[in-house]
Amino acid sequence: CCHNGGKGCPPPPPPPTPAPTPPPPPFDCNAGFNNWQAGWSAPKKDWCCHNGGKGCPPPPPPFDCNLGFPQVQTWDQPKK
């Protein structure tokens, strides 16, 4: 009767349990961003840099301009 008339069928299975809500991030990378260098803790800088691309230290310059100065003529062309 279940297959032909829809009677006497077992109850449908319950819907799947939704995935648990993930915990909130440990830091709000927008809070205090205008003063991140002085106002953020080292852990917040590290977390926000790696997870939000904010608060990362600037990259080092490609050359040490003090090394070999003032003998500029000894520098390679890319350094000049």
Side-chain angles (χ1 to χ4, degrees):
C1 286
C2 178
H3 293 290
N4 294 323
K7 297 188 188 240
C9 301
T17 304
T21 303
F27 300 103
D28 178 354
C29 299
N30 292 318
F33 182 64
N34 60 339
N35 188 34
W36 71 269
Q37 288 178 315
W40 285 5
S41 66
K44 181 173 181 175
K45 289 175 185 176
D46 184 61
W47 193 91
C48 288
C49 179
H50 290 97
N51 294 279
K54 291 183 174 184
C56 300
F63 300 103
D64 180 352
C65 296
N66 293 317
L67 185 65
F69 188 80
Q71 290 83 21
V72 179
Q73 69 276 6
T74 64
W75 290 357
D76 291 340
Q77 192 59 38
K79 184 173 180 175
K80 291 180 181 179

